[in-house]
């Protein structure tokens, strides 16, 4: 998923490429909107994060786990879709297909 590259439609990256006026989260004006903030820290998405925690346990608070573990991918996509944060740019992100190996 694109989140591990930090080339995301989140304000920290958008500000770097001059597509956003500020790198800060619209809900947390003192925090830069990075993948880590969006996925783990932002209180605005607490409900969505709680759902991911129910599915993945405490590993849902580990950015490396969320971005690299294939078992986390469907839950991560569900989180991104549930927040609606990237919908205007990406639309509905499709769930990954299970590997058939």
């Amino acid at each position: 998923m694109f989140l591990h590259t930090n080339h995301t439609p989140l304000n920290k990256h958008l500000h770097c490429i001059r597509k956003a006026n500020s790198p800060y989260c619209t809900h947390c004006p003192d925090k830069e909107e990075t993948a880590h903030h969006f996925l783990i820290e932002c209180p605005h998405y607490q409900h969505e994060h709680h759902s991911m925690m129910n599915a993945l346990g405490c590993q849902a608070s580990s950015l490396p786990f969320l971005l690299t573990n294939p078992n986390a991918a469907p839950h991560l996509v569900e989180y991104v879709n549930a927040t609606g944060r990237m919908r205007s740019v990406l639309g509905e992100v499709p769930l990954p297909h299970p590997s058939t190996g």
Side-chain angles (χ1 to χ4, degrees):
M1 185 177 258
F2 56 88
L3 287 166
H4 71 279
T5 67
N6 285 324
H7 294 142
T8 61
L10 297 172
N11 287 340
K12 169 78 174 180
H13 174 67
L14 295 175
H15 185 257
C16 286
I17 62 171
R18 296 176 168 39
K19 298 293 182 186
N21 292 330
S22 164
Y24 297 102
C25 175
T26 56
H27 308 291
C28 309
D30 61 332
K31 300 285 185 180
E32 289 185 335
E33 189 183 36
T34 62
H36 185 267
H37 178 76
F38 168 64
L39 294 173
I40 296 170
E41 295 178 339
C42 188
H44 185 75
Y45 303 118
Q46 181 178 6
H47 175 75
E48 291 83 356
H49 190 259
H50 181 74
S51 295
M52 198 163 50
M53 288 282 288
N54 284 340
L56 299 173
C58 64
Q59 293 174 317
S61 291
S62 166
L63 190 61
F65 175 82
L66 291 175
L67 299 181
T68 62
N69 190 299
N71 295 326
H75 304 287
L76 184 58
V77 169
E78 287 176 2
Y79 175 91
V80 169
N81 288 335
T83 66
R85 175 62 183 89
M86 300 181 189
R87 191 167 291 131
S88 66
V89 175
L90 302 176
E92 191 79 6
V93 179
L95 287 171
H97 295 289
S99 60
T100 57

